[in-house]
């Protein structure tokens, strides 16, 4: 074995160790994010009935609108999964295409959320109106902020895939971003089940 081969193997080994450390750090981040959302869910459940004689969830929530948001986010998770499958097959162009579709679906979700917030505030149901609305905007807004950051991450990943190709660090980042995106889907299903569905029943 030549010296250059040994050096290349050593560098690859060090790169793998570095990526494994980043993956571990990412899981720590994801767990802290889960704790934050658990606290926000708990706050909402406690304050859900505290409408302070203002509009209640039955007055404000439109389940058809929320179902549309849910469909967009679930489809975006599916398209991100297709991007991951394309990555495993080494199809650089397909990865970028599916990531772009995921980005469009994520942005459409954010647009629907902004329309919902604008409509509620226009009816005088802003975050400062009651404890219920304060907890609602904090929980749903925090999730929306995460989707916005995830969308920025997808833009960066599309650029990296197109410029650098499917190198080991790019694959690692893509897998981590996919975990983050699927995590947001799970949180949204929780929001749909805990906030919107009981709110209109």
């Amino acid at each position: 074995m030549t010296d250059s081969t040994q050096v290349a193997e050593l560098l690859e080994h060090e790169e793998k160790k570095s990526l494994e450390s980043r993956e571990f750090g990412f899981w720590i981040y994801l767990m802290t994010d889960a704790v934050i959302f658990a606290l926000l869910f708990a706050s909402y459940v406690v304050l859900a009935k505290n409408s302070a004689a203002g509009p209640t969830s039955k007055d404000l929530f439109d389940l058809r609108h929320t179902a549309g948001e849910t469909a967009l986010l679930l489809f975006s998770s599916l398209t991100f999964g297709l991007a991951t499958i394309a990555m495993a097959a080494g199809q650089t162009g397909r990865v970028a295409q599916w990531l772009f579709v995921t980005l469009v679906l994520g942005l459409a979700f954010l647009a629907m959320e902004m329309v919902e917030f604008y409509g509620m505030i226009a009816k005088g149901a802003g975050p400062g109106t009651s404890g219920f609305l304060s907890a609602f905007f904090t929980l749903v807004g925090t999730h929306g902020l995460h989707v916005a950051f995830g969308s920025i991450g997808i833009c960066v990943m599309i650029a990296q895939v197109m410029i650098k190709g499917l190198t080991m660090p790019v694959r690692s980042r893509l897998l981590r971003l996919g975990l983050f995106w699927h995590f947001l889907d799970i949180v949204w299903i929780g929001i749909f089940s805990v906030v919107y569905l009981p709110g209109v029943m």
Side-chain angles (χ1 to χ4, degrees):
M1 187 179 292
T2 63
D3 289 344
S4 60
T5 306
Q6 285 179 326
V7 169
E9 285 182 355
L10 186 62
L11 288 173
E12 186 179 344
H13 178 69
E14 288 301 317
E15 191 173 33
K16 280 183 181 175
K17 280 179 64 178
S18 171
L19 292 175
E20 284 173 2
S21 299
R22 291 178 191 177
E23 285 171 12
F24 178 72
F26 177 76
W27 279 108
I28 297 290
Y29 159 73
L30 217 52
M31 282 190 284
T32 56
D33 234 13
V35 171
I36 290 170
F37 275 111
L39 293 173
L40 292 177
F41 271 111
S43 299
Y44 178 81
V45 170
V46 170
L47 295 171
K49 302 296 180 188
N50 184 5
S51 60
T56 65
S57 55
K58 284 186 180 178
D59 302 323
L60 299 169
F61 293 169
D62 179 356
L63 211 52
R64 286 176 299 179
H65 185 92
T66 311
E69 291 175 290
T70 305
L72 285 170
L73 212 51
L74 291 179
F75 275 120
S76 76
S77 201
L78 174 66
T79 55
F80 207 121
L82 292 171
T84 307
I85 292 172
M87 181 189 73
Q91 299 170 328
T92 306
R94 283 291 171 90
V95 172
Q97 287 173 6
W98 284 122
L99 285 178
F100 181 74
V101 175
T102 306
L103 175 65
V104 171
L105 292 169
L107 293 177
F109 168 84
L110 285 174
M112 287 190 75
E113 194 161 81
M114 293 296 288
V115 168
E116 180 187 26
F117 283 2
Y118 179 78
M120 290 174 72
I121 293 170
K123 291 178 184 174
T129 307
S130 64
F132 151 62
L133 285 168
S134 179
F136 169 82
F137 276 100
T138 305
L139 173 58
V140 181
T142 301
H143 176 269
L145 197 61
H146 278 67
V147 174
F149 284 130
S151 299
I152 294 170
I154 290 174
C155 289
V156 173
M157 282 312 309
I158 291 173
Q160 289 195 358
V161 167
M162 295 307 294
I163 295 169
K164 298 181 179 179
L166 295 172
T167 61
M168 194 186 298
V170 170
R171 286 171 182 262
S172 175
R173 287 185 207 113
L174 188 59
L175 286 174
R176 276 177 274 154
L177 183 60
L179 284 173
F180 178 71
W181 198 259
H182 297 315
F183 169 74
L184 295 182
D185 265 9
I186 294 169
V187 173
W188 180 257
I189 290 170
I191 290 174
F192 183 80
S193 305
V194 174
V195 176
Y196 288 101
L197 207 52
V200 296
M201 293 176 69

